[in-house]
């Protein structure tokens, strides 16, 4: 992590703690740090969320545009991820300094959302083969306190949950052109189905064990970390009781750092990741549904960065 | 001149403000823990985050023998405007803004105190609704104060425009995006209201010399009004302690 220096003995202390399943801040190896989440704070975007996980601070905004679907996938919409590392986080990100990290995270998110079982792009279709919605998911990293990938995936899911796409009627005109009619009512919009949207879980290998949600200090002690993308559980996000308990499918994997892992450790780590992702998804769903209900009942004023 | 549209027959502006009325200002110092100083400022729907790092040792090539190097970066989030931007920074407009920011802040920072050092000031516009530069300057001033960097006085920026009411010129303070887009003149002034010095002045479109003084004095009055509000916030912030200590996570 940027600008962080730890001595040998400090590192040893962290490694021993992980070995005994008791980390330096009192968590067990499967515990996340407390998070703060707020949705709907950017007026210029169709959906937005701000997530603060310990010292990691992110702002995600979703903007929509009308686009032409690609010829080989005429009935699918598009989604594009864009990460911007603000220099506010660390002076190293000044100019083009954060580009490498940004592209890495954006590609990982793109890969995780690629599968039709992870995110249903059919819901973005307006007129098959002619017009579709394109979602621009812009992720702004404002402060780095470790565990960026997990935080990004959580904030993206929250922002997509908050996104409202205007209802559009498409009529095929003469000559194959499509005429779009937008409703006059600004409340005439539909919500996205994000139940299956994947979450990324970073598993940091420290000593022989893996921990989730590493702090910046723990990240600097580990030689290798695995990032797994696990699809969400749709039953958490809907009121229907009879939905089968699906989800928990494994949609992407990536490795970071100079070290290597044994196949057995890999298997254990993936299983640990699936368990962590399911718990995380449940907690996220609860928080988001709560926030939506509150928004409907009383128009709460947004705190944003003023809190 | 597109003047008449900007003021209603009752003398109110498009968003219901009076000609000499500012937009609502809300701000907070010490938003983040990692930078040495940070601030968040909202002026109406324009929202800006500023962070200050330093003073720290300057890079060999940049370092100056007798004063500090002030390094500014202005960046606009891709979702900050109505239409999505492709690049947050590096385009001509942001580079120009970075230079203007540096110009205004250099006027206030006591640069002679830190030779061979560097101060980094990063500004991130989260939402732009007119006067993004002014809000950036004001937020940067707050961040500098939060970082404890000695400044001569508050640098405050404010815009002013000119409208017509019953054939009489009426200057407008703190111009919003709609008024900017209407095509009238926009005068941007960054000044130190307590000394009356002007650090930067910039104008778009043309303005008759006869009206320059009235528009300038309206902008300067706007700076003074903003200073009063920001000064109050700084004093309140300092009274309650530097930053919340429970924010920091240490091992």
């Amino acid at each position: 992590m940027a600008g962080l220096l730890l001595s040998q003995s400090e590192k040893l202390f962290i490694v021993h703690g992980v070995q005994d399943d008791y980390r330096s801040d009192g968590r067990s190896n499967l515990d996340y740090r407390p998070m703060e989440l707020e949705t709907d704070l950017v007026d210029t975007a169709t959906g937005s969320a701000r997530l603060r996980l310990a010292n990691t601070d992110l702002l995600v905004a979703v903007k929509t545009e009308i686009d032409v679907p690609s010829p080989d996938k005429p009935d699918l919409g598009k989604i594009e991820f864009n990460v911007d590392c603000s220099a506010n986080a660390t002076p190293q990100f000044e100019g083009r300094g954060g580009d490498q990290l940004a592209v890495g995270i954006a590609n990982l998110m793109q890969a995780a959302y690629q599968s039709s079982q992870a995110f249903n792009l059919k819901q973005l279709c307006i007129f098959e083969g002619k017009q579709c919605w394109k979602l621009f998911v812009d992720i702004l990293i404002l402060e780095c306190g470790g565990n960026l990938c997990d935080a990004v995936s959580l904030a993206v899911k929250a922002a997509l949950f908050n996104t409202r796409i205007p209802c559009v009627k498409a009529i095929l005109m003469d000559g194959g052109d499509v005429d779009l009619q937008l409703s006059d009512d600004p409340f005439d919009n539909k919500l996205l189905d994000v139940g299956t949207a994947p979450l990324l879980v970073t598993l940091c290998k420290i000593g022989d064990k893996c921990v989730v949600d590493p702090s910046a200090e723990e990240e600097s002690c580990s030689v290798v970390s695995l990032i797994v993308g696990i699809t969400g559980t749709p039953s958490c996000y809907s009121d229907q009781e009879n939905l089968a308990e699906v989800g928990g499918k494994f949609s992407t994997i990536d490795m970071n750092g100079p070290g290597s892992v044994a196949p057995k450790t890999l298997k254990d780590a993936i299983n640990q990741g699936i368990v962590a992702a399911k718990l995380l998804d449940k907690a996220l769903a609860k928080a988001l549904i709560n926030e939506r209900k509150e928004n409907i009942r009383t128009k709460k004023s947004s705190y944003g960065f003023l809190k | 001149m597109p003047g008449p549209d900007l003021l209603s027959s009752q003398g109110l502006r498009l968003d219901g403000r009076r000609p000499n009325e500012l937009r609502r200002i809300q701000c907070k110092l010490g938003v983040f823990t990692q930078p040495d100083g940070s601030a968040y400022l909202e002026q109406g729907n324009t929202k800006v985050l500023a962070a200050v790092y330093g003073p720290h040792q300057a890079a060999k090539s940049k370092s100056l023998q007798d004063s500090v190097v002030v390094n500014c970066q202005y960046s606009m989030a891709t979702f900050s405007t109505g239409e999505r931007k492709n690049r947050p920074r590096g385009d001509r407009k942001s580079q120009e803004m970075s230079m203007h920011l540096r110009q205004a802040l250099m006027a206030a920072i006591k640069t002679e105190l830190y030779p061979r050092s560097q101060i980094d000031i990063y500004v991130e516009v989260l939402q732009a609704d007119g006067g993004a530069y002014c809000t950036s300057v004001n937020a940067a001033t707050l961040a500098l104060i939060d970082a404890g960097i000695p400044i001569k006085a508050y640098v405050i920026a404010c815009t002013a425009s000119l409208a017509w009411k019953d054939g009489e010129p009426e200057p407008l303070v703190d111009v919003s995006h709609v008024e900017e887009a209407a095509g009238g003149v926009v005068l941007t002034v960054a000044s130190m209201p307590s000394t009356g010095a002007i650090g930067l002045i910039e104008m778009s479109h043309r303005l008759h010399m006869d009206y320059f003084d009235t528009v300038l004095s309206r902008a300067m009055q706007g700076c003074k009004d903003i200073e009063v509000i920001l000064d109050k916030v700084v004093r309140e912030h300092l009274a309650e302690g530097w930053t919340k200590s429970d924010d920091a996570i240490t091992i």
Side-chain angles (χ1 to χ4, degrees):
Chain A
M1 197 78 260
L4 188 81
L5 288 172
L6 284 187
S7 70
Q8 262 324 309
S9 44
E10 279 173 302
K11 284 186 176 175
L12 200 67
F13 179 74
I14 291 173
V15 173
H16 283 172
V18 170
Q19 221 63 12
D20 297 339
D21 200 12
Y22 192 79
R23 290 150 76 178
S24 46
D25 43 12
R27 291 181 288 157
S28 80
N29 288 352
L30 262 177
D31 283 343
Y32 272 80
R33 289 169 291 182
M35 291 175 220
E36 279 172 43
L37 180 71
E38 194 184 352
T39 53
D40 212 8
L41 11 69
V42 181
D43 302 334
T44 48
T46 41
S48 57
R50 182 207 177 195
L51 183 91
R52 193 170 168 86
L53 192 153
N55 270 356
T56 303
D57 208 319
L58 301 165
L59 186 62
V60 175
V62 181
K63 268 177 115 63
T64 48
E65 259 177 39
I66 288 179
D67 202 5
V68 180
S70 61
D72 54 332
K73 293 169 193 151
D75 59 338
L76 297 187
K78 292 175 179 173
I79 187 165
E80 193 181 300
F81 293 90
N82 227 305
V83 179
D84 177 22
C85 297
S86 166
N88 283 26
T90 152
Q92 289 168 2
F93 290 159
E94 199 190 328
R96 308 185 65 87
D99 279 10
Q100 209 180 349
L101 179 68
V103 169
I105 296 175
N107 286 345
L108 196 61
M109 286 302 288
Q110 198 82 47
Y113 273 76
Q114 203 59 259
S115 154
S116 64
Q117 298 201 16
F119 187 70
N120 183 11
L121 286 170
K122 276 192 183 139
Q123 58 186 319
L124 299 176
C125 179
I126 299 171
F127 195 95
E128 197 176 315
K130 298 282 181 196
Q131 305 265 258
C132 70
W133 287 108
K134 182 171 188 181
L135 298 183
F136 286 98
V137 184
D138 292 307
I139 301 146
L140 185 62
I141 297 172
L142 295 167
E143 201 173 9
C144 286
N147 203 15
L148 267 177
C149 292
D150 298 26
V152 165
S153 72
L154 281 165
V156 165
K157 192 161 182 175
L160 287 172
F161 185 80
N162 181 240
T163 303
R164 285 168 184 279
I165 293 200
C167 286
V168 170
K169 271 192 196 130
I171 300 156
L172 193 65
M173 307 289 278
D174 293 341
D177 295 334
V178 176
D179 188 46
L180 295 179
Q181 286 177 346
L182 198 69
S183 164
D184 291 331
D185 182 7
F187 294 101
D188 193 7
N189 46 31
K190 64 170 184 189
L191 292 163
L192 287 174
D193 171 29
V194 292
T196 50
L199 292 180
L200 301 176
V201 176
T202 308
L203 295 140
C204 221
K205 187 171 170 270
I206 298 176
D208 311 327
K209 294 206 174 171
C210 287
V211 299
V212 298
D213 189 25
S215 62
E217 291 81 7
E218 285 169 333
E219 267 178 11
S220 68
C221 292
S222 101
V223 281
V224 66
S225 61
L226 283 163
I227 303 160
V228 288
I230 312 288
T231 62
T233 325
S235 56
C236 300
Y237 289 85
S238 108
D239 301 330
Q240 293 165 353
E241 300 276 315
N242 52 1
L243 271 177
E245 182 89 9
V246 288
K249 284 175 189 142
F250 167 54
S251 72
T252 185
I253 188 161
D254 194 25
M255 255 173 88
N256 259 335
S260 56
V261 283
K264 185 176 178 307
T265 324
L266 180 72
K267 230 174 176 176
D268 290 348
I270 293 171
N271 286 333
Q272 194 182 349
I274 291 176
V275 173
K278 275 195 173 161
L279 291 173
L280 203 55
D281 201 38
K282 245 177 213 156
L284 179 69
K286 211 173 142 195
L288 286 174
I289 289 170
N290 226 346
E291 172 125 344
R292 180 176 283 171
K293 275 185 187 150
E294 239 167 66
N295 270 349
I296 292 170
R297 226 181 302 127
T298 49
K299 182 62 202 141
K300 66 152 185 94
S301 52
S302 84
Y303 295 111
F305 294 88
L306 291 165
K307 202 184 128 214
Chain B
M1 221 175 221
D5 305 328
L6 292 177
L7 279 176
S8 71
S9 54
Q10 281 81 31
L12 294 177
R13 291 155 72 175
L14 294 168
D15 47 7
R17 284 186 287 158
R18 288 178 200 87
N20 60 352
E21 200 174 324
L22 296 168
R23 290 176 289 179
R24 184 166 76 149
I25 295 179
Q26 284 184 298
C27 57
K28 187 176 188 282
L29 275 79
V31 202
F32 297 126
T33 46
Q34 274 168 14
D36 295 303
S38 61
Y40 172 71
L41 180 65
E42 277 183 29
Q43 280 183 242
N45 276 331
T46 304
K47 299 174 183 177
V48 171
L49 270 173
V52 169
Y53 286 86
H56 55 81
Q57 192 177 6
K60 271 269 166 55
S61 56
K62 280 193 206 159
S63 140
L64 297 176
Q65 286 302 311
D66 53 347
S67 72
V68 70
V69 177
V70 178
N71 176 33
C72 288
Q73 184 182 272
Y74 173 94
S75 141
M76 277 176 104
T78 42
F79 49 79
S80 60
T81 46
E83 204 152 294
R84 187 177 175 273
K85 279 169 68 79
N86 276 328
R87 296 170 69 186
R89 64 190 84 88
D91 55 327
R92 271 168 190 255
K93 181 150 179 267
S94 341
Q95 279 176 346
E96 187 196 355
M97 289 298 177
S98 304
M99 269 157 54
H100 285 172
L101 209 56
R102 182 165 175 271
Q103 164 80 35
L105 296 171
M106 285 274 278
I109 296 171
K110 290 189 169 246
T111 50
E112 68 283 359
L113 290 180
Y114 305 105
R116 292 183 289 279
S117 312
Q118 179 177 347
I119 298 171
D120 295 316
I121 300 161
Y122 302 118
V123 171
E124 187 74 44
V125 179
L126 301 179
Q127 228 174 288
D129 181 39
Y133 172 75
C134 300
T135 315
S136 304
V137 171
N138 301 342
T141 307
L142 290 179
L144 282 170
I145 292 168
D146 188 43
I149 290 170
I151 51 175
K152 291 172 198 148
Y154 284 84
V155 224
I156 307 288
C158 190
T159 53
S161 179
L162 187 69
W164 294 86
K165 195 192 158 209
D166 307 328
E168 289 292 310
E170 178 70 53
L172 309 174
V173 77
D174 196 11
V175 185
S176 72
H177 178 68
V178 196
E179 288 163 333
E180 258 176 26
V185 60
V186 178
L187 181 76
T188 308
V189 180
S191 74
M192 288 176 270
S194 47
T195 62
I198 293 177
L200 178 120
I201 189 158
E202 199 226 355
M203 193 172 78
S204 68
H205 300 88
R206 70 196 172 93
L207 177 69
H208 197 282
M209 200 53 215
D210 289 355
Y211 309 124
F212 182 72
D213 278 342
T214 46
V215 177
L216 180 64
S217 65
R218 183 50 61 89
M220 294 290 275
Q221 184 58 46
C223 293
K224 273 188 199 138
D225 294 346
I226 295 173
E227 191 199 25
V228 173
I229 297 168
L230 297 192
D231 187 53
K232 190 167 160 259
V233 173
V234 169
R235 281 170 201 280
E236 272 170 15
H237 174 73
L238 291 179
E240 75 185 34
W242 290 94
T243 42
K244 279 184 285 171
S245 55
D246 54 67
D247 270 4
I249 294 211
T250 46
I251 59 163

